[in-house]
Amino acid sequence: MTGRGVMLAGKAIAVVSFLFMLHSGYSAREYLLYSKSIGRQNLSLPIEIVLECLVALAVMTVALVVGVGELKPISYEAEMKRYSIDGMYSRPSFQVFNHRGRFLRPVKNVL
């Protein structure tokens, strides 16, 4: 499989495992509501629901790690390779055009 196919498969497996996690949550809620309605005091979940949730969590974790793709480098050198020296020292956010210079030499109105 190519890199893109592995990423797509990882994301698909993550979605399916998320649906299994939702199903285990719904099953746990239904089981607890049923237990309360028949008056049971012990409200521990069955092992099937717990295992379904844990297996879905493990599969989702592996699928997300596989499906994330190639990571980008975070070193300073890798970041600076993208910029030229002109781009590094040009900071338009520090260029202020509305400053006190207009009061030093007022502009004459020409009509």
Side-chain angles (χ1 to χ4, degrees), residues 34-54:
Y34 175 72
S35 296
K36 284 182 183 179
S37 69
I38 63 171
R40 257 193 213 160
Q41 297 297 328
N42 187 5
L43 295 179
S44 63
L45 291 175
I47 191 70
E48 295 88 10
I49 296 175
V50 174
L51 282 178
E52 180 183 5
C53 184
L54 291 177

Side-chain angles (χ1 to χ4, degrees), residues 23-34:
H23 178 263
S24 67
Y26 178 75
S27 298
R29 181 180 179 276
E30 287 296 315
Y31 177 78
L32 291 176
L33 287 176
Y34 175 72

